Amino acid sequence: MEIPNDGAPAAVPGPIRHGRWRRIRRICWYLAGAFLGLPLIAFWVAYLLLDVRSPQDVLASLDKTVTLRYADGTELLRIVPPDGDRRFVPYDKVPQKLRDAIIATEDPTFWDNSGFDPSAVGRALFTGVGGGSGITQQYIKKSTGDDDATIGRKLQELVLATKVTQQQDKERIFESYANIISFGRGTFGPAAAMNAFFDRPLDDGMTWSEAAFLAGMIQSPSVHDPAVSGDEHAADRWAYVRDKLVERGYVKGSEAAAMAYPGAEIRPPAETRASLSYREYHVKQQVLAELERDGFPLSRLQQGNLTVQTTLDRGAQAAAGASLKQRLKGEPKEFRGGLVAVDPANGAVRAYDGGSNGVRDYAGTARPAGSAFYPFTLVGGLRAGISPDGPAASPEKINFLGEDFSYPQRCPQLCTLRTAMSSAADTPFIALAKQLGPDTVSAAARDAGIPESVDGTRTLREKDGYLIGSGIAVGRYPLRPLDMAGAYATFAAGGQRTAPHLVDKILDEDGDVVWQHDDRPAPAFSPDEGTSRRIADQVGSTLSAGLPDGRRGALRTGEFQHGNSADNQDAWAVGYTPQLATAVWIGSDDERRLLDAKGKKLTGATVPADIWRTFMSRS
């Protein structure tokens, strides 16, 4: 190659340069083809291999009722399909306004797309906003129960959405979608939703405002319900749907101007909750939570047409409600109460009453146990070889883990742990907790049956979930009546521990047992059964009490003080016979000092003890 006079290299000949670019272009075409072709091939293969059930088959499989029974096999309550209420509504019976509101909000291209909106899917994939799942995709997701956030699941969803669109007309797809989705409050389908929120039947008299409200519930029913998040949040969601209706031309001019958030028309859940009383509602929720932990979520029960036999005794359940109602009548309106009764032999909950004041379940709500916690401290002392009849320190003031405690002197002059229990003295048990250490006291309560955690939150701990502070000496850490009844049942069973439970067994449609609770008793306080029994019997001997019918039992009443006042905010009566362990809690919705109808401070020995004795004599 000749070198120019100026020393610069000669230019590369044209054919070589052109050949290089041809190779680059060819590689780019190959890559583009692979980028576009491989997904198309995968889509086509999946289309051939995957099958989709007809919407009619899906709806038929979901149309089941779950029945809860008492222990004797009689009906307790029904969870009407699927989660409270499902009423099938044919396409032509869904009001046009509601159809338009749902489509405008959930899938504006529904009538024209092939099962999904490519632009919406792309927006969701590349920007993370804009939704992505149209009506047909949502139907596929709900009908298959597959909601995994994976690319494979999304591809399957797109394939099946395309396939069902080719096999079914749009009206049938919308009909199936509308009847399978949840609108909140345990409703599936527009008829159940209309009843749950507006307490009237679904018909063409539906207003645009009502249609916008119901359509807005679909995205996140548990969040958008004004009973949960308030009217301000619900009104914002309603306004979003209204704007979509206007933007997409469904509502125009004067109709749009006349629309208003229907807050005054929306009924509270208590008025439309499928005829369940609050007491029944609490039982239902507790049973469903227990079933889910045991591997039987509600969807599995519904699809399997299963029946749940609970441990609840019909007579005991009725006695619990009557005892609470009778004694609380005439007391201050802020008084609340819960009662749980457990069979010591097997942990079966025979009565569960969370009150009748609202959706809050007082049998399953944790509150400070106060001095009703002291029997667990006594267990720690007995295991350390301390006698309940030996001399016990009873100072008026005591410091434990940096906190000063001061209580009136109630223990007799010759104070023992036995006399301290009977005289409701506090400082002997605080002194014992100090002597044993907080870990020992906590371990004793756990061995009796207080669970490590409830709903993911550790019990018997400070708010950080780790530290055991001075509060354990005075029962400051909140415990549920359910747990207190279960732990006292260990004393009643002679030191044999079982976990309290409300579900006995699950039956299929032929009456055959699918699953049964299995929790065999085990020694609680020592590996040696005899030692565990001795400790339980010694605790019981300090709690001796009589029942109105002459039977002997064991009862510990207790309170938890309100702040630094001399008054109480929580009062307990927890005790047992060999056949039944029962916990009664009385307090209020918030932390406040409580005075009874006579103007006297609430104590465990008054209202709670009266309820306990009445219930135990009726059971």
Side-chain angles (χ1 to χ4, degrees), residues 38-54:
L38 289 177
L40 291 175
I41 293 171
F43 187 95
W44 179 246
V45 171
Y47 186 93
L48 294 175
L49 295 177
L50 295 175
D51 198 8
V52 57
R53 296 165 64 199
S54 74

Side-chain angles (χ1 to χ4, degrees), residues 69 305-309 505-509 511-514:
R69 295 178 178 173
N305 197 22
L306 302 176
T307 297
V308 179
Q309 185 152 318
K505 54 190 172 184
I506 301 173
L507 310 171
D508 65 15
E509 54 192 358
D512 296 326
V513 176
V514 175

Side-chain angles (χ1 to χ4, degrees), residues 393-435:
S394 180
E396 290 190 12
K397 297 181 180 181
I398 189 170
N399 182 281
F400 177 50
L401 296 179
E403 182 175 358
D404 291 321
F405 296 95
S406 178
Y407 288 94
Q409 178 60 262
R410 291 177 180 159
C411 205
Q413 188 171 6
L414 295 176
C415 185
T416 66
L417 293 174
R418 185 184 303 279
T419 59
M421 192 76 78
S422 61
S423 63
D426 293 281
T427 53
F429 293 100
I430 300 173
L432 178 58
K434 182 176 182 177
Q435 179 182 347

Side-chain angles (χ1 to χ4, degrees), residues 104-121:
T105 308
E106 297 297 318
D107 191 354
T109 68
F110 172 72
W111 294 115
D112 303 313
N113 65 44
S114 298
F116 60 91
D117 181 352
S119 63
V121 173

Side-chain angles (χ1 to χ4, degrees), residues 11 91 97 171 185 264 273 278 287 333 365 375 433 440 459 527 560 613 617:
Y91 173 81
K97 290 175 181 175
E171 287 78 6
R185 296 191 181 180
R273 200 182 45 259
Y278 280 121
V287 167
K333 63 181 181 180
T365 298
T440 299
T459 60
F560 185 74
R613 290 190 176 92
S617 65

Side-chain angles (χ1 to χ4, degrees), residues 15 66 144 150 173 176 252 305 325 332 367 385 426 447 482 571:
V66 177
T144 60
T150 63
I173 294 172
S176 302
K252 302 176 182 178
N305 197 22
K325 182 178 180 180
R367 296 300 294 263
D426 293 281
D447 289 342
L482 175 62

